Amino acid sequence: MALLDYPVPELDVTLQEVSRVLQLTLSPDLYPEFKSMMEQERKLLEEAHQKLATSAAGKENWVTEQFKRALLSCADPVPTSTALPVVLLPSQAKQCTQLQRAAALLWAAAKLYSEPLLLEGNVPMERTQQSEVFAAIRIPGRIHDEIKVYPDSLHAIVTCVGGVFPVDILWHPSTGGPVSARSFNDIYKQLTQVMDQPSAGRQDDPSAICSLSAMERKAWAATREEILEQGGDAAASLRLMESAVLTLCLEECNAPSELADILNAVRLGGGGDSPCLRYYDKVMNLVVFKDGTAGIVFEHSAVDGMVAGLRAKRPV
């Protein structure tokens, strides 16, 4: 059964709810004034309601579109505005290294991306938000940002103190058809190779892009345009990072002991002299600390249900 489009409520229902709330919040002398004004402007309210119904016709989730439009117009730095942290449940394994936890989470993400029915089952689910969770990037703009999706992406990017590295988490079968998740062992092997790589020099370190993504959005938009216009390795690194399925941030430190501190560390990083490892333009950043504690930083336009369902299936 197909999921019905999100409905536009009847005008009378909306006005009744507004009246109920304002009766509780307005002073006794102001509420009658509000009721009188609402009755006088009934015709204008009906016209506005009709415009809303017309604009929402044929859209699966018009509420999300309006909400997202407002979020993408926010020029404040993402770390302190629309980036939301989540702490994942601890691993059930008795012993779990940082790379094992990271590989399990990347494998789980690849499975959910390539086989969305693992999360949805037989229950129809909203698609407007879910279509922009994986392989999606928030592109900074001089007026407003936009979400861009790379449907052909097969790789994640790993950010660590050594730099930024691509890791393939999906593959195309030789016989054609939809993409499939690479095995846990394959992903784990790639992560061990990443950790063996020499650190990038300060001039060539693409992780500088992570710090730039934490800037005020209009300033970052201007800097991003300069990087792309200049071309070269910096522009190539930027394109590789933007087109990734998601970002995996491998921290060098253990997670804090208190939940509130863990949430801040997931959202902002370890602090101190540690480099910025969060790529805030990417809709989803997986974060794994040295002790295996893990979390997610996601752009607020991402669907909450998908974030809650993103956890490793492998018991590591």
Side-chain angles (χ1 to χ4, degrees), residues 138-152:
R138 176 174 174 171
I139 301 292
R142 292 180 181 268
I143 300 177
H144 61 79
D145 294 359
E146 64 175 315
I147 299 292
K148 182 177 181 180
V149 179
Y150 291 84
D152 298 326

Side-chain angles (χ1 to χ4, degrees), residues 117-248:
L117 289 180
L118 289 175
L119 179 63
E120 298 176 15
N122 296 322
V123 179
M125 296 185 66
E126 187 267 6
R127 298 301 308 167
T128 302
Q129 291 186 36
Q130 292 197 54
S131 64
E132 296 179 344
V133 174
F134 294 114
I137 188 78
R138 176 174 174 171
I139 301 292
R142 292 180 181 268
I143 300 177
H144 61 79
D145 294 359
E146 64 175 315
I147 299 292
K148 182 177 181 180
V149 179
Y150 291 84
D152 298 326
S153 179
L154 301 175
H155 70 281
I157 55 169
V158 178
T159 62
C160 57
V161 293
V164 177
F165 305 91
V167 170
D168 291 329
I169 62 174
L170 296 155
W171 63 285
H172 274 295
S174 58
T175 55
V179 297
S180 300
R182 289 183 176 270
S183 69
F184 167 85
N185 289 334
D186 186 356
I187 295 172
Y188 178 78
K189 181 179 179 181
Q190 292 182 72
L191 289 179
T192 60
Q193 293 172 345
V194 163
M195 301 307 290
D196 290 337
Q197 293 292 320
S199 299
R202 185 174 296 272
Q203 296 295 326
D204 301 321
D205 187 1
S207 64
I209 295 174
C210 294
S211 298
L212 294 174
S213 71
M215 296 171 58
E216 188 269 344
R217 298 306 290 176
K218 290 180 173 59
W220 170 216
T223 302
R224 176 180 175 275
E225 290 177 4
E226 293 176 2
I227 293 174
L228 293 176
E229 288 173 358
Q230 293 173 1
D233 292 340
S237 296
L238 178 59
R239 293 191 182 94
L240 181 72
M241 294 173 69
E242 289 185 347
S243 62
V245 174
L246 53 83
T247 301
L248 168 66

Side-chain angles (χ1 to χ4, degrees), residues 7 27 35 37 47 53 75 85 100 119 122 133 148 157 186 227 244 249 255 260 266 285 291 302-303:
S27 61
K35 289 287 289 184
M37 184 178 298
E47 292 175 356
Q100 286 174 330
L119 179 63
N122 296 322
V133 174
K148 182 177 181 180
I157 55 169
D186 186 356
I227 293 174
C249 313
V266 168
N285 281 251
D291 59 4
V303 62

